[in-house]
Amino acid sequence: MVSRVIPVDTFDLVIFGGTGDLARRKILPGLFRRFCAGQMPADARIIGAARSEMDSAGYRDMVRAAIAEFGGEQACDDATLGRFLEQLSYIAIDARGDGGWAELQEAMKGTDRVEAYYFSVAPALFGDIAERLQKWGMADAGARIVVEKPFGRDLETARALNKTLATYFNEDQIYRIDHYLGKETVQNLMAVRFGNMLFEPLWNSQYVDHIQITVAETVGVGGRGEYYDKSGAMRDMVQNHLMQLLCLIAMEPPARFAPDAVRDEKLKVIRALDQPEPHHVVRGQYQAEPMNEAENPGYRTAVENARSRTESFIALRTEISNWRWAGTPFYLRTGKRMSARSSEITVVFKDTPHSIFEEDAGRHRNVLSIRLQPNEGITLGVTIKEPGPGGMRLIDVPLDMTFAEALNPEEVEQVDAYERLIMDVIRGNQTLFMRGDEVEAAWAWTDPIIEGWEARNDVPKPYDFGSAGPTDADQLLRREGRAWREVTT
Ligand code: BG6
């Protein structure tokens, strides 16, 4: 494999919540993969900080086990793992007290390197940790903090959180993660839109009939029932991941691929988003797998709340009130326990104004589908003549560019979203992170929708395990003469 990896400057990364699920599944295996790829300098330090009493040797054992479990195929040999683990240490810390902070301060003292603090903890602790970082002299101008979602649960809490963080850090020190922005194809969205002449002139309500964004998952709520039942698909997925995808597909071309240029344009999209009409929102809750209820229970059993009104599925229709998009529907859909794991953005172009082919009774539309996962790639449906005799019969065929086929997979290094984003933190590049005003604008759009459900005592519709969601979601498009793309892998 030809490596195009550019090593980052050396750094100290403190992971608060360093023994937690996200650290073990994503952050630490991701760092190890970057180490294997030669991107992480040999003198960089990673300090796990969490409540559990443990020494650094114990932490290294924990990380070794996490990498064995979640490291993925690219993890390299044992000797390299040994060298990586040597760069790790651990400090038991009390986020709400003084325990461990002196030790951390000592460890971070006087280093002339990038300093990053990853808040991989419950949001309730963000303020406590930020305050202590300042109290112990670690919130200097060079420090960067990385904050995980959920960033608040509504506009008010997000604002309060922004305000708290702003007490100790400047906006250019705060990296709010939305891991969808780190996905390869999500970045490709911008390359496709702004690196080609072909699409941009057609990218507006004059040529586009509608746009669909689907993020379908096969997993259920798993062990996260308590968190999820207080959030639901709207807060867990739409307010952040789907909103970000919508921004990237709909935004005006930024003048440069630079953090604020991109984020300014995304913010304008969110602020121009219409509130969906109540009948343009469909909520659902998944049912148990038939004959296998014990293993795959229904939503309410999984979250242990027999009267839950939280949605595990949502489909909605909205519009963007600006010159480019006025009148073009955007349909968003996401859910758990659906028929396939599939994230896809589909741009459906309008019909040709007039058909010159007499034999042609059908409706032919160019469809550009951008597949985020799995099998990342882009397909453009084009209309051609069906080969052979029989007159001008038209058929639609895909111009397919599945990246794994087009680009030799052996030659392309796969970088997980978290790996990319952590390296961006070290590089000091905020382009793929959410700015405070963006998060607030997203909540300002989401809140009234959720409040509407609460006021109406809205109850989500049940939907079958392994389906495409409640049938009402199909109706949402059908009554406008449209249809969802099939959810397939
Ligand atoms: C997380 C949500 O942010 O994204 C989860 O909290 C969801 O509920 C996950 O499963 C989906 O991420 P991915 O990368 O698997 O599509």
Side-chain angles (χ1 to χ4, degrees):
M1 187 188 301
V2 190
S3 179
R4 297 189 194 92
V5 166
I6 305 168
V8 293
D9 290 342
T10 198
F11 62 87
D12 290 339
L13 172 66
V14 178
I15 309 173
F16 294 107
T19 55
D21 202 50
L22 182 72
R24 290 187 310 112
R25 275 175 192 275
K26 294 285 184 187
I27 304 172
L28 290 156
L31 282 161
F32 177 50
R33 284 195 293 270
R34 292 295 85 212
F35 183 81
C36 294
Q39 193 164 22
M40 189 178 132
D43 58 349
R45 296 185 308 166
I46 297 164
I47 303 175
R51 220 171 6 189
S52 328
E53 286 300 333
M54 190 190 294
D55 60 11
S56 292
Y59 189 59
R60 290 186 195 116
D61 287 344
M62 190 216 81
V63 176
R64 181 189 286 276
I67 289 172
E69 192 174 353
F70 304 113
E73 293 153 15
Q74 289 174 52
C76 42
D77 59 72
D78 223 45
T80 316
L81 176 58
R83 286 203 306 282
F84 172 75
L85 294 176
E86 276 169 28
Q87 297 183 227
L88 268 66
S89 59
Y90 181 79
I91 296 175
I93 212 151
D94 179 3
R96 293 205 156 128
D98 284 339
W101 288 94
E103 202 185 328
L104 182 62
Q105 182 192 43
E106 186 57 31
M108 299 299 283
K109 206 158 71 191
T111 62
D112 183 19
R113 331 141 130 257
V114 174
E115 276 172 44
Y117 300 90
Y118 201 127
F119 292 19
S120 177
V121 294
L125 295 176
F126 290 173
D128 296 304
I129 293 176
E131 185 190 329
R132 280 165 184 73
L133 282 173
Q134 191 196 46
K135 179 174 160 196
W136 293 91
M138 287 175 270
D140 49 67
R144 293 165 198 169
I145 60 166
V146 186
V147 189
E148 268 295 332
K149 75 176 263 271
F151 198 89
R153 57 173 284 107
D154 52 24
L155 178 58
E156 195 186 331
T157 49
R159 256 192 200 143
L161 193 49
N162 273 334
K163 210 167 148 200
T164 306
L165 296 181
T167 317
Y168 310 107
F169 298 95
N170 296 324
E171 183 61 35
D172 64 4
Q173 295 178 277
I174 305 172
Y175 291 71
R176 293 176 195 78
I177 290 221
D178 183 315
H179 79 280
Y180 266 58
L181 289 177
K183 290 185 190 271
E184 185 74 27
T185 319
V186 174
Q187 293 177 67
N188 225 333
L189 249 178
M190 286 185 274
V192 167
R193 281 197 60 195
F194 306 127
N196 294 286
M197 194 57 211
L198 192 61
F199 302 114
E200 205 45 32
L202 306 179
W203 215 257
N204 55 52
S205 59
Q206 201 182 336
Y207 296 102
V208 173
D209 178 74
H210 72 277
I211 291 181
Q212 301 182 11
I213 301 177
T214 294
V215 177
E217 297 186 279
T218 49
V219 292
V221 294
R224 299 161 74 224
E226 204 189 321
Y227 149 78
Y228 193 91
D229 203 39
K230 292 195 197 95
S231 302
M234 187 64 154
R235 289 190 171 99
D236 185 53
M237 296 293 287
V238 177
Q239 187 271 346
N240 36 76
H241 304 325
L242 275 83
M243 186 74 85
Q244 290 295 323
L245 298 180
L246 174 72
C247 285
L248 296 179
I249 204 85
M251 71 183 183
E252 295 302 312
R256 280 167 299 119
F257 187 59
D260 279 337
V262 172
R263 297 187 298 179
D264 286 347
E265 296 307 335
K266 288 198 297 172
L267 179 63
K268 285 184 210 161
V269 174
I270 305 176
R271 289 194 172 149
L273 258 190
D274 286 355
Q275 277 292 304
E277 304 281 336
H279 68 285
H280 283 157
V281 182
V282 176
R283 301 164 75 220
Q285 266 179 355
Y286 61 79
Q287 304 279 76
E289 182 178 15
M291 323 288 282
N292 195 14
E293 207 160 320
E295 207 168 316
N296 289 323
Y299 177 80
R300 289 182 170 184
T301 310
V303 299
E304 296 176 10
N305 178 2
R307 297 147 83 87
S308 171
R309 287 187 175 159
T310 305
E311 76 286 353
S312 61
F313 172 97
I314 185 166
L316 62 87
R317 176 200 195 279
T318 183
E319 290 187 18
I320 300 174
S321 285
N322 64 15
W323 272 54
R324 185 188 284 266
W325 292 118
T328 308
F330 284 74
Y331 300 101
L332 274 47
R333 168 176 68 158
T334 183
K336 298 206 181 282
R337 289 292 192 223
M338 292 178 66
S339 52
R341 177 171 187 252
S342 158
S343 301
E344 201 170 65
I345 301 176
T346 308
V347 181
V348 180
F349 290 90
K350 288 192 170 164
D351 298 345
T352 50
H354 162 70
S355 178
I356 62 167
F357 307 108
E358 279 176 12
E359 293 91 337
D360 177 31
R363 173 196 248 191
H364 300 282
R365 286 182 161 180
N366 298 117
V367 175
L368 179 71
S369 107
I370 301 159
R371 212 172 155 78
L372 308 180
Q373 61 190 24
N375 308 324
E376 302 170 355
I378 295 178
T379 310
L380 178 64
V382 289
T383 303
I384 60 164
K385 175 189 168 297
E386 191 174 348
M392 280 301 273
R393 285 172 291 108
L394 302 186
I395 52 166
D396 296 331
V397 292
L399 267 181
D400 192 346
M401 199 178 86
T402 304
F403 297 151
E405 286 164 19
L407 314 165
N408 184 353
E410 313 282 281
E411 293 289 322
V412 181
E413 194 186 346
Q414 303 295 323
V415 182
D416 171 82
Y418 274 92
E419 294 171 48
R420 170 172 290 119
L421 294 174
I422 296 170
M423 290 300 109
D424 275 358
V425 173
I426 306 302
R427 278 188 285 252
N429 184 344
Q430 289 186 307
T431 310
L432 301 176
F433 295 84
M434 293 180 295
R435 212 167 52 191
D437 50 5
E438 247 184 281
V439 179
E440 288 185 16
W443 281 122
W445 180 78
T446 314
D447 278 1
I449 306 174
I450 297 175
E451 283 158 15
W453 302 335
E454 284 165 2
R456 293 193 301 277
N457 284 332
D458 190 78
V459 182
K461 300 267 178 345
Y463 61 93
D464 289 345
F465 176 98
S467 70
T471 45
D472 287 24
D474 298 330
Q475 282 303 327
L476 187 66
L477 273 74
R478 201 170 296 143
R479 60 179 174 238
E480 300 182 340
R482 302 183 173 107
W484 290 105
R485 290 264 296 183
E486 203 185 330
V487 179
T488 53
T489 41

